[in-house]
Amino acid sequence: MISGERPDMAASVVLYRLRLVEPVLAGRPGGDANTVWSYPYLPGGAIRGAVLSAVGFDPALVTALVHEERATFLNAYLGVKDESRWLRSLPVPLTWRSQKQQGANDVIAVIAAAPGTETMEDTRSIRGFFADSSRKTFVTEPDLNLQVHHQRHSGLGRPVKSSPDDREPGTIFRFASLAANQRFSGAILIPDDTRTEVMRALEPVKAGATLRIGKARRSYGLAVIEEVTILPNWDESPSGAASAAKVFTLTLLSPALFRDGFGGRTLEPDSGELARLLGQPATVIGATTSAEPVGGFNRKWNLPLPSTIAAAAGSTYLVRCETPISSFAMLLREGLGERRVEGFGRVAVNLSAPTCVTRPPDIVEAAMPELVDHTPPNHTAELLELLKTRMKAHAHGEASNAE
């Protein structure tokens, strides 16, 4: 059985919204050795690790969520506020493009390219995440916080050699993390046959609870759960009309880990897996893809997971079957590829492109409590004046005694 594969059964969903109290460093692999860049979202594996940490790595919960893979933790994407409600955004498909000459306007015209066609020279990809409201389609990107750190001894407050072979104490390194005070919306899928048991184990996932997510959790990673909703049925994506058709498109809503027939990494789904999920042979006849490195971290081992190449979120495939497909339910529920219980391989069918996308307005936060300045007052000027007065008085007294 492929990792993340479960029997065909209905599933309930736990929807939640997080607010980042501190910057969150969900580090992605690669790049400069002294720089860590965060993913622009909260990976499902990081959410699962934060939940396990919140309950103290209870053996029963570890067995249910890790070894038996009874719950699927989807990535938490940036939340977009539309009037009085929050929307969970999704990665923009790679086939959505805009004119290069178009500046950073509030409204962007969308040019929809067919999967597998050559890139038009006068266009560029639309980066970020989109969210569909009843009136328009928003597109946005999370804010990043760039912080420079200086490695030093916590007690002495200065760089020291950690060992006799340490020639360069006091390393300078940078963290590019998700900025604080942003909202992210995620979901946890739970098969109905284990719903009662897993929901009892997920008791910490409730409004007002806090989680520690990502790396460097002494000063990064604190998030508070603002809202939790449990639904019996849920559609992750605004998929187009999945009517009976021989040719359709699949769009990745998260990175996907695929292998070819020889076990090597590839950027396209395996035809055998497609046939199993669709109930008949299927072939990818066109694709617009991009590669990205993915990794992870094992807190039990306290070691990073091996990094590998995944098909980037937003990759779009044109698929052809022998006969019209009557149902995509199993494909949408299970997803494609490996490590699906960590949020990899989520897909949408026939995701249509809007005529234009709009950048959401700046969110005006509710009135925050007044901050109290605890900085000690600066009395330097008053002390100098007092010192001058006393010196003059002392000098005048010595002069009087001399007379």
Side-chain angles (χ1 to χ4, degrees):
M1 182 176 289
I2 300 175
S3 176
E5 182 178 333
R6 294 178 304 278
D8 183 13
M9 60 184 65
S12 301
V13 61
V14 178
L15 301 177
Y16 61 88
R17 186 179 72 248
L18 295 170
R19 179 175 65 85
L20 305 188
V21 180
E22 298 174 346
V24 172
L25 188 63
R28 64 169 65 186
D32 182 79
N34 291 336
T35 302
V36 178
W37 287 88
S38 177
Y39 289 105
Y41 55 87
L42 302 178
I47 298 295
R48 184 177 69 172
V51 171
L52 290 172
S53 179
V55 298
F57 290 96
D58 179 79
L61 184 57
V62 172
T63 300
L65 299 185
V66 179
H67 301 303
E68 298 181 358
E69 300 180 345
R70 298 183 188 177
T72 298
F73 288 77
L74 305 189
N75 297 337
Y77 292 127
L78 189 65
V80 177
K81 192 170 187 181
D82 178 36
E83 296 180 350
S84 61
R85 65 190 183 114
W86 286 89
L87 305 174
R88 178 177 182 255
S89 63
L90 294 169
V92 173
L94 298 182
T95 53
W96 293 10
R97 306 187 67 82
S98 65
Q99 293 288 345
K100 286 184 177 180
Q101 294 79 8
Q102 187 168 358
N105 302 326
D106 291 336
V107 179
I108 303 173
V110 177
I111 302 173
T117 57
E118 295 184 3
T119 302
M120 294 171 281
E121 295 183 356
D122 59 341
T123 65
R124 61 184 176 185
S125 59
I126 301 176
R127 298 184 304 174
F129 300 84
F130 77 96
D132 274 340
S133 71
S134 57
R135 300 173 293 108
K136 59 186 69 174
T137 300
F138 296 108
V139 64
T140 185
E141 291 183 88
D143 294 330
L144 294 180
N145 175 65
L146 184 60
Q147 187 70 39
V148 179
H149 295 274
H150 187 198
Q151 189 179 29
R152 60 185 184 273
H153 192 277
S154 58
L156 300 177
R158 59 180 175 82
V160 295
K161 290 186 175 183
S162 58
S163 66
D165 298 331
D166 188 2
R167 298 182 179 180
E168 298 181 358
T171 302
I172 301 294
F173 56 97
R174 300 180 301 170
F175 285 164
S177 57
L178 295 170
N181 209 33
Q182 297 184 96
R183 270 76 174 182
F184 287 81
S185 298
I188 305 173
L189 306 182
I190 305 171
D192 285 345
D193 65 332
T194 60
R195 181 178 183 275
T196 302
E197 179 183 357
V198 176
M199 287 301 299
R200 188 184 304 114
L202 293 178
E203 181 65 25
V205 184
K206 58 184 178 180
T210 58
L211 297 175
R212 281 283 181 182
I213 306 171
K215 304 178 64 174
R217 294 188 303 277
R218 291 185 178 179
S219 53
Y220 289 82
L222 180 61
V224 61
I225 301 175
E226 290 189 330
E227 183 180 11
V228 176
T229 305
I230 301 176
L231 298 175
N233 296 295
W234 176 65
D235 292 326
E236 181 179 8
S237 68
S239 295
S243 58
K246 294 182 180 181
V247 180
F248 54 90
T249 61
L250 294 179
T251 302
L252 294 183
L253 303 180
S254 64
L257 296 168
F258 300 132
R259 292 186 186 273
D260 58 22
F262 300 98
R265 290 296 178 192
T266 181
L267 300 182
E268 294 187 4
D270 178 63
S271 57
E273 185 178 17
L274 285 175
R276 178 183 66 84
L277 294 171
L278 296 175
Q280 62 173 287
T283 306
V284 176
I285 59 176
T288 299
T289 63
S290 178
E292 71 170 82
V294 297
F297 194 84
N298 190 305
R299 295 189 186 182
K300 179 68 175 179
W301 299 340
N302 197 30
L303 290 172
L305 298 177
S307 60
T308 186
I309 295 298
S315 298
T316 304
Y317 306 92
L318 189 63
V319 182
R320 179 165 55 197
C321 295
E322 295 180 354
T323 60
I325 299 295
S326 58
S327 175
F328 295 92
M330 187 174 179
L331 172 64
L332 295 176
R333 182 170 58 251
E334 290 197 14
L336 292 168
E338 301 175 354
R339 293 173 60 180
R340 297 197 301 270
V341 294
E342 300 175 42
F344 288 92
R346 305 302 299 176
V347 297
V349 178
N350 291 337
L351 186 63
S352 59
T355 57
C356 63
V357 292
T358 305
R359 300 199 180 278
D362 294 334
I363 299 174
V364 179
E365 297 290 344
M368 299 293 290
E370 183 179 356
L371 298 179
V372 179
D373 186 5
H374 296 285
T375 304
N378 190 348
H379 297 297
T380 303
E382 292 86 344
L383 291 174
L384 288 175
E385 290 296 329
L386 179 60
L387 181 59
K388 290 179 181 179
T389 302
R390 291 185 177 181
M391 290 179 66
K392 289 180 180 180
H394 183 70
H396 180 70
E398 288 186 349
S400 299
N401 293 335
E403 294 177 356

